[in-house]
């Protein structure tokens, strides 16, 4: 017997149709890199996306073809998201901050046909053109080319149709070990992710929301914000630059209620606010992801009345895996306990399942006791099964568990607490030390701007941690002072055997600390008692 409900394919273009129909007059603002501003509406975004669909068809672009972008956050970029999938193509957002060899590999591996880019990246485009073998058309977003290109069309067309399991978006991992890997999202998986993201514990969107996304649109599908925001009809405030003074001014002028970004964004914002006395009174919901947020950051925002959605996810999970949901007894908890809960990575929404397995034996599933750490695995309808063009599945076995590369504990109530990356965890004397917890404790020191912990070979203990520190401008601190400070935060045997001060810590193209490069930098380091 078949069900009696309508067969309504979950295709991404339905989101923009809904936004234009139900929230058509809702405003979107772009603040361009040159300081000028443009305002449009959701009806305008849909109209221009249809024009782009027509323009792509004239270029011979169709079902399954990859359309790449090399751009920051603005409404032209948003138009391209819907225009690319509207023609039946696959949107491929490229991180312009990647190294040349990665840019070359990604575009050629994806077999991109069209590239839309910002003028600030014109130098990158010119440098890479001879190396990109499949791109046939280049169109600049912000010098008049894009507007002229779609302006030649009337928008009187229809979206491409197809199966809800057709691909719609391609994002590549950061490639910290080997070449980047492509993650190919489906219309169905993207729609399920978008619908789920509207929950209060995740994006907490409704038609009153004003979202300023600091997370770039080229990073992990911008955490799904362009899809979820359209579904709720939010007002987007885009900025093509992430200068704290600009962001703070936009937040105040446009009465921003929601924002999303990595912890380093808030470090810059705090510095600007402390120096100028600026505040952000309208902000009520901050999504923080990309890396673990230190306690002092969460505490400061919560004291300002901001709800923190401390999120964990990855490109392979579309990317939302967990967020810092409030517990059933939240209103009865002391403030310090609430901060402790928000400092963890939170709980899964319906659609995501987690488990931890032994680091020494992956066939052993670990208890959810809040103590036993292991390798974190995940599965669900918006979790990867196989990387793009790979010859075998990434989700292993009939149960389709995907190994995230993270080390974590899961508490009895299902709350996830990340402790490290499997390749970064430090094993000393048969016990595991979390480099992440050491780093978060260190950056709470008033003189520390950034810190990274790595393991150094030791003849007796296998490995011992050292802490690499960048001091804040004008600040002074000794290694002993840092160790004494850490002694009040972590177990004594976790204390780093050495603290090394450097001018800068290496980062990947996506802005994360590159432990690989750091280990290379300190490969010949000798501990005093080793």
């Amino acid at each position: 017997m078949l069900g009696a409900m309508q067969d309504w394919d979950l295709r991404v273009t339905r989101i923009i149709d809904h936004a234009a129909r139900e929230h058509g007059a809702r405003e979107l603002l772009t603040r361009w890199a040159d300081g000028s501003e443009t305002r449009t509406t959701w009806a305008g975004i849909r109209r221009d996306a249809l024009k782009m669909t027509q323009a792509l068809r004239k270029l011979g672009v169709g079902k399954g073809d990859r359309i790449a972008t090399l751009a920051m956050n603005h409404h032209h970029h948003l138009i391209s998201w819907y225009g690319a999938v509207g023609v039946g193509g696959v949107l491929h957002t490229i991180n312009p901050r990647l190294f040349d060899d990665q840019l070359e590999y990604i575009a050629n591996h994806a077999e991109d046909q069209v590239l839309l880019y910002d003028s600030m990246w014109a130098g990158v485009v010119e440098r890479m053109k001879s190396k990109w073998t499949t791109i046939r058309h280049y169109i600049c977003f912000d010098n008049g080319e894009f507007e002229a290109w779609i302006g030649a069309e009337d928008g009187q067309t229809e979206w491409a149709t197809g199966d809800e399991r057709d691909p719609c978006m391609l994002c590549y991992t950061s490639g910290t070990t080997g070449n980047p890997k492509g993650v190919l999202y489906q219309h169905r998986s993207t729609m399920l992710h978008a619908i789920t993201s509207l929950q209060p514990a995740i994006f907490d969107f409704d038609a009153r929301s004003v979202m300023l996304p600091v997370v770039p649109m080229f990073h992990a599908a911008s955490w799904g914000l362009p899809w979820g925001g359209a579904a709720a009809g939010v007002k987007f405030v885009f900025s093509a630059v992430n200068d704290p003074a600009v962001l703070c001014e936009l937040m105040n002028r446009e009465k921003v209620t929601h924002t999303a970004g990595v912890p380093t964004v808030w470090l810059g914002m705090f510095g600007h606010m402390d120096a100028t006395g600026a505040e952000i009174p309208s902000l009520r919901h901050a999504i923080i992801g990309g890396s673990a947020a230190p306690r002092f950051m969460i505490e400061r925002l919560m004291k300002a009345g901001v709800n923190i959605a401390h999120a964990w996810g990855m490109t392979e999970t579309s990317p939302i895996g967990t967020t810092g949901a409030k517990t059933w007894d939240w209103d009865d908890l002391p403030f310090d306990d609430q901060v402790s809960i928000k400092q963890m990575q939170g709980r899964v929404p319906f659609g995501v399942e987690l488990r931890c397995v032994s680091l020494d034996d992956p066939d052993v599933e670990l208890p959810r006791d809040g103590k036993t750490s292991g390798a974190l695995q995940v599965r669900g309808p918006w979790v990867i099964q196989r990387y793009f063009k790979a010859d075998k599945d990434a989700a292993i076995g009939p149960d389709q568990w995907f190994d995230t590369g993270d080390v974590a504990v899961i508490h009895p109530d299902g709350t996830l607490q990340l402790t490290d990356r499997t390749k970064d965890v430090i094993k000393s004397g048969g016990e595991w030390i979390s480099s992440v917890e050491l780093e978060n404790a260190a950056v709470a020191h008033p003189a520390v701007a950034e810190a990274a912990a790595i393991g150094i070979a030791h003849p007796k203990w296998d490995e011992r941690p050292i802490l690499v520190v960048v001091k804040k401008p004008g600040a002074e601190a000794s290694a002993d002072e840092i160790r004494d400070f850490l002694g009040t935060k972590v177990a004594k045997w976790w204390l780093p055997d050495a603290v090394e001060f450097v001018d800068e810590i290496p980062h990947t193209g996506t802005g994360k600390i590159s432990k690989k490069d750091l280990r290379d930098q300190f490969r010949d380091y000798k501990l005093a008692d080793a």
Side-chain angles (χ1 to χ4, degrees), residues 4 6 9 77 145 160 197 201 292 302-303 349 372 385 430 445 481:
Q6 295 180 14
D9 283 337
H77 200 175
E145 277 187 39
S197 74
M302 287 179 63
K303 284 181 177 178
T372 309
Q385 179 173 333
H445 189 284
E481 287 174 11

Side-chain angles (χ1 to χ4, degrees), residues 98-177:
L98 294 177
F99 305 114
D100 282 8
D101 59 339
Q102 293 175 314
L103 291 171
E104 178 181 358
Y105 175 83
I106 286 172
N108 291 337
H109 187 263
E111 299 179 75
D112 293 324
Q113 301 293 301
V114 178
L115 177 72
L116 300 108
Y117 64 95
D118 287 350
S119 56
M120 70 169 65
W121 307 115
V124 175
V125 171
E126 288 304 314
R127 189 172 69 244
M128 298 302 300
K129 269 186 178 180
S130 63
K131 299 178 181 180
W132 285 332
T133 59
T134 63
I135 299 176
R136 298 181 289 118
H137 305 282
Y138 293 85
I139 300 158
C140 185
F141 269 132
D142 56 348
N143 69 351
E145 277 187 39
F146 180 77
E147 290 173 306
W149 179 54
I150 66 171
E153 310 302 329
D154 60 11
Q156 300 302 306
T157 191
E158 299 293 331
W159 306 120
T161 58
D163 191 271
E164 64 180 21
R165 286 178 168 80
D166 286 343
C168 68
M169 189 172 189
L170 179 62
C171 292
Y172 280 76
T173 63
S174 56
T176 55
T177 54

Side-chain angles (χ1 to χ4, degrees), residues 107-283:
N108 291 337
H109 187 263
E111 299 179 75
D112 293 324
Q113 301 293 301
V114 178
L115 177 72
L116 300 108
Y117 64 95
D118 287 350
S119 56
M120 70 169 65
W121 307 115
V124 175
V125 171
E126 288 304 314
R127 189 172 69 244
M128 298 302 300
K129 269 186 178 180
S130 63
K131 299 178 181 180
W132 285 332
T133 59
T134 63
I135 299 176
R136 298 181 289 118
H137 305 282
Y138 293 85
I139 300 158
C140 185
F141 269 132
D142 56 348
N143 69 351
E145 277 187 39
F146 180 77
E147 290 173 306
W149 179 54
I150 66 171
E153 310 302 329
D154 60 11
Q156 300 302 306
T157 191
E158 299 293 331
W159 306 120
T161 58
D163 191 271
E164 64 180 21
R165 286 178 168 80
D166 286 343
C168 68
M169 189 172 189
L170 179 62
C171 292
Y172 280 76
T173 63
S174 56
T176 55
T177 54
N179 285 326
K181 299 182 181 70
V183 182
L184 192 63
Y185 305 143
Q186 301 170 333
H187 283 265
R188 176 180 182 270
S189 67
T190 301
M191 286 282 278
L192 291 172
H193 183 275
I195 294 167
T196 300
S197 74
L198 304 183
Q199 295 180 19
I202 306 177
F203 293 162
D204 190 30
F205 277 161
D206 62 32
R208 300 167 298 169
S209 304
V210 182
M211 160 57 77
L212 192 159
V214 187
V215 56
M217 293 176 74
F218 57 72
H219 177 66
S222 195
W223 299 353
L225 291 165
W227 311 124
V234 309
K235 173 180 176 177
F236 272 122
V237 177
F238 291 120
S239 176
V241 296
N242 289 336
D243 177 79
V246 172
L247 298 179
C248 196
E249 191 274 331
L250 285 172
M251 286 183 180
N252 279 288
R253 170 159 52 91
E254 301 300 322
K255 295 182 172 55
V256 168
T257 59
H258 291 60
T259 190
V262 298
T264 52
V265 168
W266 281 108
L267 293 176
M269 289 290 290
F270 289 166
H272 171 75
M273 293 164 71
D274 292 341
T276 64
E279 297 180 356
I280 314 171
S282 60
L283 188 67

Side-chain angles (χ1 to χ4, degrees), residues 41-85:
T41 64
W42 279 113
I45 296 294
R46 180 181 183 272
R47 177 198 65 229
D48 289 344
L50 283 165
K51 290 182 177 182
M52 179 176 159
T53 291
Q54 288 177 300
L56 285 171
R57 286 180 178 138
K58 286 185 177 179
L59 295 180
V61 175
K63 185 174 182 179
D65 289 334
R66 270 74 75 190
I67 300 104
T69 64
L70 195 75
M72 302 301 289
N73 292 1
H74 49 73
H75 75 284
H76 285 176
H77 200 175
L78 181 65
I79 290 164
S80 75
W81 280 46
Y82 289 99
V85 299

Side-chain angles (χ1 to χ4, degrees), residues 449-498:
E450 190 172 33
I454 57 172
I456 297 294
H458 192 283
K460 180 178 180 181
W461 303 110
D462 293 328
E463 280 188 318
R464 288 297 300 159
I466 69 166
L467 188 71
V468 183
V469 171
V470 176
K471 287 184 283 191
K472 291 180 180 177
E476 291 297 331
S478 67
D480 286 343
E481 287 174 11
I482 299 296
R483 279 175 49 85
D484 289 345
F485 178 81
L486 290 174
T488 66
K489 308 291 183 183
V490 301
K492 184 177 180 180
W493 66 275
W494 276 33
L495 291 176
D497 281 22

